[in-house]
Amino acid sequence: LIHHHLGTREEMLRAAASRTIANVDRTVREGMEEGEADGRSDLERSFDVMVGPRLQDRSIALVIDELNGAAVRDEYVRRLVAGMYGTFVSEFERALADAFPAAPADRCRTVAHAIVALADATGSFDTYALYPENFRRAREAALRLAACLGRE
């Protein structure tokens, strides 16, 4: 009965992955658009969205962790998750290049990658309650990473 209505396990996984990634993408887009109306820079908006409360909902972090595990076994999920992370890195890379025009492109890419990895790991860390004020500290660390580009 369940199989008849929901399909195979792979179909259910792929549908859930697609829905989750679409929700994360929408959350990011909405946050960037709201920040634009406030006149904040792309970099400020990127920090607000990626290393702020929007994506720090524990349920989002848990689902993304699950998708990372599923990506090992399923090519479709792997492409979706890789696309999500690729978008995040590209957005930060562009915002960092705009904020620090003298910084070399490869340094902006490296810092963008580090910030996205930090943001992703912070959600996982929060699941285990490793540190109080986990998200505030992650945001502070991400801001310090970005500031290094201004000292080049």
Side-chain angles (χ1 to χ4, degrees):
L1 181 63
I2 291 174
H3 174 74
H4 174 73
H5 290 289
L6 300 176
T8 65
R9 181 173 184 238
E10 289 79 21
E11 291 169 330
M12 288 186 291
L13 172 64
R14 290 173 179 181
S18 294
R19 194 170 45 253
T20 298
I21 299 298
N23 287 338
V24 170
D25 285 344
R26 186 181 64 252
T27 298
V28 170
R29 260 193 332 277
E30 288 172 356
M32 293 299 285
E33 289 168 4
E34 286 172 14
E36 190 173 8
D38 295 343
R40 288 176 288 144
S41 72
D42 284 351
L43 186 58
E44 289 172 313
R45 293 190 321 256
S46 295
F47 277 110
D48 289 346
V49 172
M50 298 296 301
V51 197
R54 282 187 181 276
L55 290 182
Q56 305 309 333
D57 181 305
R58 183 170 280 158
S59 63
I60 290 175
L62 289 171
V63 171
I64 289 174
D65 283 349
E66 290 297 323
L67 288 177
N68 282 324
V72 173
R73 298 179 306 278
D74 189 284
E75 179 63 30
Y76 177 82
V77 175
R78 184 172 28 261
R79 283 194 315 269
L80 282 177
V81 174
M84 176 188 71
Y85 286 125
T87 298
F88 292 166
V89 171
S90 294
E91 285 295 320
F92 257 113
E93 185 178 351
R94 184 184 53 73
L96 288 165
D98 288 348
F100 301 98
D106 64 324
R107 294 276 172 96
C108 289
R109 188 173 308 112
T110 299
V111 170
H113 177 90
I115 290 170
V116 171
L118 174 66
D120 184 54
T122 299
S124 298
F125 277 27
D126 195 58
T127 300
Y128 305 109
L130 294 176
Y131 305 106
E133 301 181 352
N134 192 33
F135 294 115
R136 183 189 60 76
R137 289 181 183 199
R139 183 182 175 92
E140 182 180 314
L143 288 167
R144 287 177 187 234
L145 285 169
C148 290
L149 292 171
R151 294 188 286 237
E152 301 270 330

